[in-house]
């Protein structure tokens, strides 16, 4: 390679600097052209890209062994959450079915006393 090595602690600083520089460049271009802020969709896509970049940098900083261990733990947590959501969904459907099967309450007859 070129002989330049990065330590793990330098990566977040470089990513933060890149994000600040890109934002500043976009703001300058938008002000120069007189265009308003970007649409909601563009901002959402930009935010999604930053999240993906953050995850990739985080995994690269951890290294392959730690990233593998972390993904195993994350998969276990996701499985527990999926199980809990499935249970809640089942209970909701069961309650709706029970309520639909009950006869409607009869209205009170004001003539009876």
């Amino acid at each position: 390679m070129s002989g330049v090595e990065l330590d793990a602690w330098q990566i977040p600083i470089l990513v933060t600097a890149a994000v600040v520089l890109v934002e500043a460049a976009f703001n300058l271009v938008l002000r120069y052209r007189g265009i308003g802020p970007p649409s909601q969709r563009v901002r959402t896509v930009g935010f999604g890209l930053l999240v993906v970049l953050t995850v990739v940098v985080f995994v690269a900083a951890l290294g392959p062994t730690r990233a593998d261990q972390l993904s195993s733990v994350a998969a276990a947590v996701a499985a527990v959450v999926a199980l809990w959501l499935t249970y809640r969904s089942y209970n909701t459907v069961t309650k709706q079915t029970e309520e639909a099967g009950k006869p409607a309450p009869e209205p009170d007859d004001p003539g009876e006393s």
Side-chain angles (χ1 to χ4, degrees):
M1 298 244 263
S2 63
V4 177
E5 294 184 25
L6 289 176
D7 290 331
W9 66 269
Q10 294 171 328
I11 295 173
I13 295 171
L14 294 174
V15 169
T16 303
V19 168
V20 169
L21 290 174
V22 168
E23 180 192 6
F26 273 114
N27 285 335
L28 286 174
V29 168
L30 291 176
R31 281 190 200 148
Y32 177 72
R33 292 188 174 204
I35 302 172
S39 70
Q40 184 76 19
R41 179 172 286 174
V42 171
R43 287 183 281 173
T44 303
V45 169
F47 181 69
L49 290 174
L50 287 176
V51 168
V52 168
L53 179 66
T54 303
V55 170
V56 168
V57 168
F58 181 72
V59 169
L62 286 177
T65 305
R66 293 269 187 217
D68 185 39
Q69 292 170 350
L70 184 63
S71 67
S72 298
V73 171
V77 170
V80 169
V81 170
L83 179 65
W84 179 71
L85 290 174
T86 304
Y87 175 73
R88 296 252 334 213
S89 176
Y90 173 77
N91 279 343
T92 302
V93 170
T94 304
K95 287 180 183 178
Q96 288 175 353
T97 304
E98 289 175 357
E99 290 175 0
K102 291 182 182 177
E106 295 182 22
D108 293 335
D109 188 9
E112 295 178 5
S113 296

